[in-house]
Amino acid sequence: MKQLSTKVTSNAHGQDSSYFLGWEEYEKNPYDEIKNPNGIIQMGLAENQLCFDLIETWLAKNPDAAGLKKDGQSIFKELALFQDYHGLPEFKKALAEFMEEIRGNRVTFDPRKIVLAAGSTSANETLMFCLAEPGDAFLLPTPYYPGFDRDLKWRTGAEIVPIHCSSSNGFQITESALQQAYQQAQKLDLNVKGILVTNPSNPLGTMLTRRELNLLVDFITSKNIHLISDEIYSGTVFGFEQFVSVMDVLKDKKLEDSEVSKRVHVVYSLSKDLGLPGFRVGAIYSNDEMVVSAATKMSSFGLVSSQTQYLLSALLSDKKFTGTYLNENKKRLKIRQRQLVSGLEAAGVTCLKSNAGLFCWVDMRHLLDTNTFEAELELWKKIVYEVKLNISPGSSCHCTEPGWFRVCFANMSEETLDLAMKRLKEYVESTDSNRLISKSSHERIKSLRKRTVSNWVFRVSWTDRVPDER
């Protein structure tokens, strides 16, 4: 008798991806400045550790929130007892206002249309359950976050069809790429239920342009399908640019109360903007009442604790704090991103120009032995095992061009990032040196062969011209 389910015994989870394998190698030999200075530096984790001091300062000034008190009185019992899965109203209101603040208060979010979930992983999977049957497909632009192969497909049975984007235009979505992906799904006899995008993009670190967002809204309108916009990095946009949400586009097109708006859904989380992945706070925002109702029922399988909601409702309701935090977070991200880019440039490595996120999309095509994904994986192994940096290869993100890597910069200290760049620079220089030696040796061998052949030809030719004296 079979003891375990097919779900348990299959490899459909995607844990064998190089994205996750790099993490496993890091965990076996993690870098520590004192205890393990020769260990692997984790650059495959998109975690924001740059502004913990701001949150800790707020906590010190607001002990009631962390101590589960209200007006000095304990509310521990109230929070510890049963709460329904709709979530605390004060937290949903504070979260909605925080999402509005990130978008410059150009759009509004109705707290009644928010469904809480245990992180964006849970939120995205819940939307798959709500919108797709097993075997239905969602179109995703490449490169995309490797975890989507797990989050969207593993338990739901949904399929992913890639929208192939290329470096020739900075990996932007084009109408032809959308049409080709849709047609490919039809060839595979898959029913396309929608498109899912990350905005800002993980792993590119770029915002979707208004042209791309307009294109996506027009496309789902013509095909009568859904659009999920995962906007968990919306508060990380740095520089002079402002984050542009799909909600902005719906407002610009005067589609806010239309049927199309019911097929546009936003996913959000506090994991990246506030750097709180361990708190497991995610959210779905939808204008479709049936989606909100069904997702709310499903949320009972992944609730956010009442204690967490209470603490964060107090923090997010402090507008002075949120304003200061968002501005400072952007400044620090920009400085840290520049540090990574400068370190890469010193090593002779470039990356895609970006303005958001906790990572850069790094171009290492010139370090490949051949223009293949096999060569990319060989390079990745060298960087993990020899250089001792865990970065994510583009193939794990379904990039169509070998040689691109996602490199994170916000989960470590300045000193650790400097060390990582020093290691990379030394590796590139040694590789270039070996290539020059190899090329020089190759040229010498070619030259020697040329001279040997020339002498041989000369001797043969001369012998042919001398009469036989015997």
Side-chain angles (χ1 to χ4, degrees):
M1 181 187 295
K2 189 170 74 168
Q3 298 295 321
L4 300 175
S5 72
T6 304
K7 186 74 69 181
V8 169
T9 55
S10 76
N11 291 321
H13 180 275
Q15 197 72 30
D16 56 350
S17 162
S18 51
Y19 172 75
F20 292 109
L21 293 177
W23 279 36
E24 290 178 12
E25 292 308 312
Y26 163 76
E27 288 166 0
K28 293 175 189 174
N29 184 26
Y31 167 80
D32 183 273
E33 184 181 0
I34 305 300
K35 298 178 182 177
N36 191 21
N38 295 317
I40 296 173
I41 296 174
Q42 174 63 290
M43 305 189 83
L45 177 60
E47 197 168 71
N48 185 1
Q49 298 184 17
L50 302 187
C51 289
F52 276 143
D53 60 310
L54 300 182
I55 296 176
E56 288 172 338
T57 298
W58 184 90
L59 290 171
K61 292 179 179 178
N62 296 270
D64 275 10
L68 306 182
K69 294 180 180 180
K70 192 171 186 178
D71 299 325
Q73 300 297 313
S74 173
I75 56 169
F76 172 79
K77 182 177 180 181
E78 178 184 335
L79 294 172
L81 295 178
F82 174 78
Q83 300 283 345
D84 71 28
Y85 39 72
H86 289 82
L88 300 181
E90 57 266 36
F91 174 62
K92 292 171 76 172
K93 178 177 182 293
L95 182 62
E97 290 175 353
F98 186 61
M99 292 167 67
E100 292 169 359
E101 185 176 7
I102 288 171
R103 290 154 184 79
N105 293 307
R106 296 183 304 275
V107 295
T108 58
F109 291 92
D110 185 343
R112 295 170 299 179
K113 297 178 180 179
I114 287 179
V115 180
L116 299 180
S120 61
T121 296
S122 175
N124 278 311
E125 186 190 51
T126 297
L127 274 176
M128 286 297 112
F129 276 122
C130 288
L131 305 179
E133 301 288 351
D136 286 347
F138 265 74
L139 311 181
L140 271 69
T142 62
Y144 63 78
Y145 165 56
F148 281 147
D149 293 318
R150 169 201 63 195
D151 302 351
L152 308 184
K153 296 169 56 177
W154 186 42
R155 298 199 299 182
T156 67
E159 297 291 341
I160 292 175
V161 175
I163 302 167
H164 293 300
C165 303
S166 80
S167 61
S168 61
N169 70 342
F171 296 97
Q172 291 188 15
I173 302 168
T174 63
E175 185 173 4
S176 61
L178 277 174
Q179 293 290 355
Q180 287 169 15
Y182 192 86
Q183 290 164 10
Q184 178 63 22
Q186 290 181 317
K187 287 179 184 176
L188 296 172
D189 201 26
L190 294 172
N191 179 35
V192 178
K193 292 304 293 286
I195 301 170
L196 186 147
V197 296
T198 55
N199 182 30
S201 168
N202 177 9
L204 299 179
T206 57
M207 284 192 303
L208 290 177
T209 63
R210 282 188 179 271
R211 179 198 62 78
E212 290 174 282
L213 288 167
N214 277 308
L215 174 63
L216 289 166
V217 171
D218 290 345
F219 190 83
I220 67 156
T221 301
S222 66
K223 302 296 185 185
N224 196 33
I225 58 177
H226 295 270
L227 173 61
I228 299 173
S229 183
D230 185 331
E231 300 183 354
I232 67 170
Y233 290 97
S234 54
T236 69
V237 177
F238 45 81
F240 297 106
E241 298 86 355
Q242 282 190 323
F243 172 65
V244 180
S245 168
V246 68
M247 302 299 286
D248 286 292
V249 171
L250 289 179
K251 183 178 181 181
D252 291 345
K253 286 177 168 288
K254 296 182 171 52
L255 294 172
E256 292 171 294
D257 300 315
S258 67
E259 282 301 310
V260 175
S261 72
K262 291 183 179 180
R263 289 186 276 111
V264 175
H265 319 278
V266 172
V267 167
Y268 185 59
S269 164
L270 296 179
S271 297
K272 310 302 181 181
D273 292 347
L274 280 183
L276 302 175
F279 277 38
R280 306 311 307 150
V281 179
I284 296 166
Y285 188 84
S286 176
N287 284 312
D288 189 312
E289 292 180 5
M290 291 183 67
V291 169
V292 171
S293 176
T296 301
K297 293 169 188 171
M298 289 184 186
S299 71
S300 64
F301 297 100
L303 295 172
V304 182
S305 75
S306 298
Q307 298 95 313
T308 299
Q309 291 185 58
Y310 176 72
L311 169 61
L312 293 178
S313 65
L315 184 142
L316 295 180
S317 296
D318 186 338
K319 300 307 177 190
K320 183 178 179 181
F321 168 78
T322 56
T324 300
Y325 178 91
L326 287 171
N327 288 329
E328 187 62 25
N329 185 49
K330 292 175 183 179
K331 288 178 186 176
R332 295 185 188 185
L333 284 172
K334 184 176 182 178
I335 292 169
R336 189 59 60 84
Q337 190 250 22
R338 283 180 174 175
Q339 182 185 352
L340 173 63
V341 172
S342 296
L344 290 169
E345 288 175 347
V349 177
T350 60
C351 56
L352 184 71
K353 185 177 180 181
S354 59
N355 62 348
L358 311 174
F359 33 71
C360 284
W361 189 236
V362 178
D363 185 359
M364 296 190 187
R365 289 176 291 181
H366 63 296
L367 298 177
L368 299 181
D369 290 332
T370 59
N371 186 34
T372 63
F373 286 109
E374 289 77 15
E376 177 185 279
L377 285 177
E378 285 304 310
L379 175 60
W380 172 71
K381 288 175 185 176
K382 288 177 182 176
I383 292 174
V384 172
Y385 294 109
E386 297 176 22
V387 189
K388 303 289 183 64
L389 305 177
N390 176 39
I391 61 178
S392 305
S395 53
S396 70
C397 303
H398 300 273
C399 184
T400 57
E401 303 169 24
W404 291 88
F405 293 81
R406 191 190 76 164
V407 180
C408 299
F409 58 77
N411 62 318
M412 66 194 78
S413 67
E414 289 181 31
E415 294 75 17
T416 302
L417 182 54
D418 281 338
L419 174 61
M421 292 299 96
K422 180 173 179 280
R423 288 183 183 182
L424 183 63
K425 186 173 186 288
E426 289 172 353
Y427 170 74
V428 173
E429 287 174 348
S430 67
T431 301
D432 288 344
S433 178
N434 289 337
R435 282 179 175 170
L436 282 172
I437 292 170
S438 177
K439 184 178 180 182
S440 177
S441 299
H442 180 66
E443 290 299 326
R444 283 201 304 273
I445 291 169
K446 275 177 67 179
S447 176
L448 183 61
R449 283 176 178 167
K450 225 172 165 185
R451 290 201 302 271
T452 303
V453 169
S454 297
N455 290 339
W456 181 79
V457 170
F458 174 77
R459 285 199 301 272
V460 169
S461 302
W462 181 255
T463 303
D464 287 345
R465 284 173 172 76
V466 176
D468 190 351
E469 295 179 348
R470 286 178 297 174

